[in-house]
Amino acid sequence: MITVDMLKKKLGIECIELDWNERFDFIYDYYKIPSTLIIPKGCVKVGRSAFEDWSGCRRRLKKVIIPESVKRIGTGAFADCKNLKEVSIPKSVEEIGERAFIDCKKLEKVVIPESVKMIRRAAFCGCKNATIILKKPENDFEEINDSAFVGCKDVKEETRS
């Protein structure tokens, strides 16, 4: 498991926020990708393509822990992480970017908190085993793209009464 301190020491908090893969090589070059990844507290965004397949996550990454400080999950952040089974989206997240979790075929259950305002194009497309639980009605979102959940097992509204 990569610890928060290890990630901060090698890559720094800004690396995840500022599309570090374009500035620093890939996380795979520094570490063997663990089955559980803890994103450091204080990060406000998971950057574009940060943990996408080519960064070595396809086979290894099974669980992601995102801190309450994150407000945005960027385009393709976890795209094609085929073995990713579990990710909890904290109540701080307001936007899930295009293709953020596309083709994460082993994702089983994703709870979208009330804080999320926008779910962009193909965000969960191809997550064939995923049940997506929306904590507010679909019409209460600023945007849910028509292709956001294409190929998912199920999408349910589970709102408070």
Side-chain angles (χ1 to χ4, degrees), residues 1 5 10 14 31 43 45 49 52 61 66 83 122-123:
M1 177 188 301
D5 290 337
K10 263 304 190 195
E14 72 281 357
Y31 296 108
C43 287
K45 175 176 110 176
S49 302
E52 190 171 8
L61 192 60
I66 301 172
N83 286 316

Side-chain angles (χ1 to χ4, degrees), residues 26 40 46-47 55 57 77 81 86 121 126 143 153 155 157-158 160-161:
F26 307 124
V46 179
S55 62
C57 297
C81 290
E86 186 178 345
R121 182 178 62 84
E143 176 188 336
K153 182 178 176 181
V155 179
E157 289 181 8
E158 193 176 278
R160 288 187 246 162
S161 300

Side-chain angles (χ1 to χ4, degrees), residues 15-160:
C15 67
I16 293 173
E17 295 176 21
L18 300 174
D19 299 330
W20 61 269
N21 58 334
E22 294 176 1
R23 293 178 28 216
F24 292 105
D25 299 322
F26 307 124
I27 192 172
Y28 185 73
D29 294 335
Y30 296 103
Y31 296 108
K32 290 184 177 177
I33 298 297
S35 61
T36 299
L37 177 72
I38 300 169
I39 293 175
K41 290 180 182 175
C43 287
V44 295
K45 175 176 110 176
V46 179
R48 183 175 64 87
S49 302
F51 299 100
E52 190 171 8
D53 168 52
W54 43 258
S55 62
C57 297
R58 181 178 192 153
R59 295 176 306 279
R60 293 176 184 90
L61 192 60
K62 293 181 181 169
K63 180 179 180 179
V64 175
I65 299 169
I66 301 172
E68 288 288 334
S69 56
V70 171
K71 294 191 183 314
R72 184 173 188 274
I73 298 172
T75 298
F78 298 98
D80 209 27
C81 290
K82 301 247 186 259
N83 286 316
L84 184 62
K85 289 178 92 174
E86 186 178 345
V87 58
S88 61
I89 298 174
K91 293 177 182 173
S92 57
V93 171
E94 296 176 356
E95 181 179 345
I96 299 172
E98 288 186 17
R99 303 177 4 266
F101 295 94
I102 193 171
D103 288 333
C104 292
K105 296 187 185 309
K106 291 193 178 176
L107 264 182
E108 295 172 354
K109 179 180 173 184
V110 179
V111 177
I112 309 288
E114 291 180 20
S115 61
V116 174
K117 297 175 183 174
M118 291 179 269
I119 302 174
R120 303 287 187 179
R121 182 178 62 84
F124 294 93
C125 183
C127 298
K128 65 181 184 177
N129 292 308
T131 296
I132 308 294
I133 306 213
L134 303 174
K135 293 306 244 177
K136 67 183 181 184
E138 278 192 57
N139 58 358
D140 284 356
F141 286 84
E142 286 179 23
E143 176 188 336
I144 294 183
N145 188 277
D146 290 343
S147 65
F149 306 118
V150 170
C152 290
K153 182 178 176 181
D154 197 10
V155 179
K156 301 177 179 180
E157 289 181 8
E158 193 176 278
T159 59
R160 288 187 246 162

